Amino acid sequence: MPFVRLWRALVLSFLAVALFTSGAFAQAVGNTDNALVEGQRTAIQKYSAEADALEKQITANADQDGKLVEIRLKLEELASELLSSAVAFRPRLSEINARLEQLGPVPPDGQSELDIVSAERQALAAEKAEINAVLGLAESLSIRVSNLINKIGLMRSELFRSVLTKRYALTDAFDGQLFDDVQAEFTGFYRTVSSWLKFVFQFKFQSVLGAAFFALIAAAVLMFGGRRVFGRVFEADPAAEDPSYLSRLSVAFWSTLLPTAALGVFLLATVFFLNYFNVLRGDIGVFLNALFIVIGIIFCVNRLANAVLAPKLPNWRLISIGSGTARLLVLLVTAMAVVLGVNYFLTVVNDAMGSPLSLTIARSFLATVIVGVLFILIGLLHYEDGVWRPWRAWLRYTAVGLGLFIIAAALLGYIGLATFVSIQVVVTGTILITAYIGFLSSRAIGAEGGFAETSVGRWLASKSSTEVTTLDQLGLVVSLAINLMIVLVFLPLILLLWGFQLGDIQTWAYRLSEGFSVGSFRFSPAGILTGIVVFAIGYFLTRWFQGWLDGSVMARGRVDAGVRNSIRTVVGYAGLALAALIAISSAGIDLSSFALIAGGLSLGIGFGLQNVVSNFVSGLILLAERPFKAGDWIVAGDVSGTVKKISVRATEIETFQRQTVILPNSQLINSAVGNWTHRNKLGRIDIKVGVAYGMDVKRAHALMLDIARNHPLVLRNPEPFVLFANFGPTALEFEIRVFLADVTNGNIVHNDLRFTILDVFDAEGIEIPSAVRAEVPKAGERWPTDDEKDEAALIEEKAREAAALAERKPARKGGRQRKPDPE
């Protein structure tokens, strides 16, 4: 009994300590999570205040598209922060739900439970209710932010429509006050620029020189680097009489893109360094940015026109037109770019200086009318090919129709629409044509044998032993890279020209990087692209390391060729596996989500792919144990030849007839394989020789032994041996057994010894017997006379039998013979 009482006391003490500890722990956790709830509630209140401020900014900037885009970016950041706040509660909610399940359901009426358990359940329920309340606030605020983002989208669409459909009265713009406004505008602009130039020359002249110097260095690096990389694809060769279509496309694309990019880098670097040295002030910075944009557009349009039309190099022209027409077309297209560029620059100046609306309307009207006239002139051009021929009908009507539409829109007062169409046709058309040439160039490079015709492909073929198949694969990679570059560079430019803001592109890029969910799998295009790039880098690093290890380390160490092949193969597979794992992790793919799929596949592997797995494991065993290696002479069943390559699935063997045999590795593991050169190339060959009965046997034995010893390829140790093997039915049988340092020379030694034996035996009078053979009459000999008589008599007898048979046949009655009845 004392023992039972002691046991009860211990149990009660343990329960008391456990309940006290769990209660204290729950209280500590509750205090921690109450701090989490309060912190998130404070953060949501802060986000709500930010949303209120942004909503006020939307109302204040309802007519400014750029400001609306900035506000939308802030709202999307706010929505992302709200999502993070909601996610912060997820671990705690999981803990609360798990604990409530452990506590079990509330006992029904009439049943009691411990107070501490009831208190803990109530505390957890209260905490869960507080978290749900905070989540409700976050969800309401998130809905409000989404509504504001949608509101901004509708406001921007309305702004865009109003710009295109708004009509202006031309009579109000072209009045007597117009010239005075022009003069006042020019005077104000001149004073602004001249005052800034005076300030620069007096105080910032060295800073300006430094900014220009660094900008020139940046542009020169890109320009000369591009020349070094692309070589002859950068400029047209005047000496080329008949350049290929791929060469013309490449020159047109790269001679437009690289100089334009170099100029863009120079202009951007100039603005950056001028701002860095505090040279630019607010209004001058706006003017300079607009001027640089205009310069870049005009340069790009002119460069593309010269690249496509090539007025001075007809052989490099992409369009079949005359040189005179090409020069006029380049001039007209460049003139349109200049007119639109000047109009855009003056628009920026007018906006910055607060010019009257009449001046803006008059300037835009003149610019659009000039552009329309230039379009009509382009449509009326002809391309001479010995005779006058107009453009194709659809091209001529399109150009003339665009020109008439722009002029008509301007005359009717729709200045915004006319300006928008003019800019889109010229600038967007330039970008689309450049991109299209790039796509054609990439397609030609990716075609079979296309990359080998480029300067880079020819350089690779001359500098290394690159195969044609490898060059084609590189061409596909280069083609994909060019297409990706075109999309990443030209698509944002087109979107910006069509009224989208930089913030729109940033938003789409952010959403694209986040991806979307398909079930439990999160698909992120940016992550997938990152994984592909990481795998490609890992692949090329693995190949480079294989080549370096094989050519620099193992070759200098004079490692055996078979060992080198095994190490190179193992390193290659290990590197590719590591690159694949890193790429999958970089792509954001959780490998644990494939556990169920892997479990299902294991069953299929066990049944359907057992041969593949068997060959794979056998290949690993062959690479590890190395019962044979590359270069060994092996015999596997009916196949005998030299091992060329051992992979994880099969082994490549080249027979002595130069036939390549692919043997699965499992056959080489599960069956007997003879290796003539396993440890070394030392081997023995046997030559059977027959000596006729009655000859001097001992003399023949001595002669054969002397012949074997005198051959230069036969080893002295082990020394040759001649065996008297058997008393044959027709001859005395001997075997010459000799050892060679290189058993692969066995055929040579066989021939030499046999020829020598024939010569020596013939000189010594020793006969080598052979089996009795039937004699065949030689061609040209006549048969014996008796045979000819017998053959003639047989022919006469057969002729008599045929005549007698014909006489015994009954004569036909009537005319036609009756056919038998069908059965």
Side-chain angles (χ1 to χ4, degrees), residues 16 49 143 277 312 431 572 613 650 664:
I143 294 173
F277 292 121
K312 297 180 181 180
I431 295 175
V613 176

Side-chain angles (χ1 to χ4, degrees), residues 11-332:
V11 171
L12 291 175
S13 301
F14 177 76
L15 289 175
V17 172
L19 291 174
F20 175 78
T21 305
S22 63
F25 177 76
Q27 184 178 3
V29 173
N31 292 334
T32 303
D33 292 310
N34 286 334
L36 175 64
V37 172
E38 292 299 328
Q40 295 301 324
R41 183 182 286 113
T42 304
I44 291 173
Q45 291 175 357
K46 175 186 173 183
Y47 298 152
S48 179
E50 292 180 4
D52 294 337
L54 291 175
E55 187 172 8
K56 292 179 182 178
Q57 293 181 18
I58 292 174
T59 305
N61 300 282
D63 57 344
Q64 298 184 19
D65 187 69
K67 294 290 184 181
L68 292 176
V69 172
E70 294 178 1
I71 296 171
R72 192 187 69 179
L73 285 175
K74 295 179 181 178
L75 287 172
E76 290 180 347
E77 293 177 0
L78 185 59
S80 178
E81 292 174 354
L82 285 171
L83 180 61
S84 300
S85 297
V87 171
F89 288 112
R90 187 176 297 171
R92 181 54 187 162
L93 283 175
S94 300
E95 293 176 2
I96 292 174
N97 292 329
R99 183 56 182 165
L100 289 175
E101 289 181 1
Q102 292 176 358
L103 295 177
V106 179
D109 295 339
Q111 295 183 6
S112 62
E113 65 177 351
L114 294 176
D115 294 338
I116 190 169
V117 175
S118 177
E120 185 179 359
R121 181 184 287 109
Q122 293 177 1
L124 292 175
E127 184 182 353
K128 185 176 181 181
E130 290 181 0
I131 292 175
N132 289 331
V134 176
L135 289 176
L137 293 175
E139 184 177 0
S140 300
L141 185 57
S142 178
I143 294 173
R144 180 186 173 193
V145 170
S146 299
N147 292 333
L148 291 176
I149 292 174
N150 294 332
K151 180 181 178 181
I152 289 176
L154 294 175
M155 293 174 66
R156 292 186 62 207
S157 300
E158 185 62 30
L159 278 176
F160 183 72
R161 285 194 298 269
S162 64
V163 170
L164 296 182
T165 58
K166 188 173 182 179
R167 184 178 181 184
Y168 298 93
L170 298 179
T171 56
D172 296 338
F174 292 94
D175 54 8
Q177 189 67 24
L178 178 62
F179 294 100
D180 295 335
D181 294 338
V182 172
Q183 185 178 2
E185 183 79 9
F186 178 77
T187 303
F189 178 72
Y190 175 77
R191 290 175 180 175
T192 301
V193 175
S194 60
S195 64
W196 176 74
L197 290 176
K198 289 179 182 179
F199 166 76
V200 168
F201 280 106
Q202 290 180 2
F203 304 102
K204 295 288 186 178
F205 185 70
Q206 294 181 353
S207 300
V208 171
L209 291 180
F213 174 74
F214 289 120
L216 284 174
I217 289 178
V221 168
L222 179 61
M223 195 71 175
F224 292 110
R227 288 179 181 272
R228 291 284 298 175
V229 172
F230 295 98
R232 284 180 288 178
V233 304
F234 185 80
E235 291 182 352
D237 184 9
E241 297 182 358
D242 188 18
S244 64
Y245 183 64
L246 175 59
S247 300
R248 288 183 289 162
L249 286 173
S250 299
V251 167
F253 179 69
W254 293 111
S255 64
T256 301
L257 185 62
L258 287 179
T260 304
L263 179 64
V265 168
F266 171 73
L267 298 177
L268 290 175
T270 301
V271 173
F272 172 78
F273 286 115
L274 289 177
N275 284 320
Y276 180 78
F277 292 121
N278 294 323
V279 177
L280 296 178
R281 66 188 191 204
D283 52 352
I284 297 299
V286 173
F287 297 157
L288 193 62
N289 289 333
L291 179 62
F292 283 175
I293 291 174
V294 170
I295 292 174
I297 291 175
I298 294 174
F299 180 83
C300 180
V301 172
N302 179 263
R303 190 76 185 183
L304 177 63
N306 280 283
V308 174
L309 300 175
K312 297 180 181 180
L313 298 172
N315 295 334
W316 291 88
R317 196 169 297 154
L318 293 176
I319 302 176
S320 179
I321 60 175
S323 298
T325 304
R327 285 191 293 270
L328 287 176
L329 196 55
V330 170
L331 180 62
L332 292 175

